[in-house]
Amino acid sequence: MFKSARLIIALSLIGGVSLAVIIGWVTGFFVSIADTVAGLWNDFTDWINLPLGWEHLLAGAGVLFVPVIVLIVIFAIADN
């Protein structure tokens, strides 16, 4: 019936993904993921809207220091 192993693998993958989507939809898995992501986004926007505090200063310092440290490590490795 199926003459190609690729066809059998493709049909198995399609069937497996379809089954996983149906099970996720029926059990409410996707709703819980969407709620989690929405909650994280709301927490993030609330944090952004807070007045400037230590958290913002530390985050800004991390944004500035991490690329500098990475460049220093790259230069150190390149120069042996």
Side-chain angles (χ1 to χ4, degrees):
M1 183 170 162
F2 297 118
K3 297 182 181 181
S4 172
R6 289 181 182 172
L7 181 61
I8 294 170
I9 292 171
L11 289 175
S12 298
L13 286 174
I14 290 171
V17 169
S18 299
L19 184 63
V21 168
I22 290 170
I23 290 172
W25 179 54
V26 169
T27 59
F29 175 74
F30 297 122
V31 173
S32 67
I33 293 296
D35 288 342
T36 301
V37 170
L40 290 172
W41 179 254
N42 288 336
D43 291 343
F44 175 71
T45 54
D46 290 343
W47 177 75
I48 290 293
N49 291 327
L50 288 174
L52 187 62
W54 283 108
E55 294 87 8
H56 282 86
L57 294 176
L58 291 175
V63 167
L64 294 176
F65 286 135
V66 169
V68 171
I69 292 171
V70 169
L71 287 174
I72 290 171
V73 169
I74 290 172
F75 289 144
I77 291 172
D79 288 338
N80 291 325

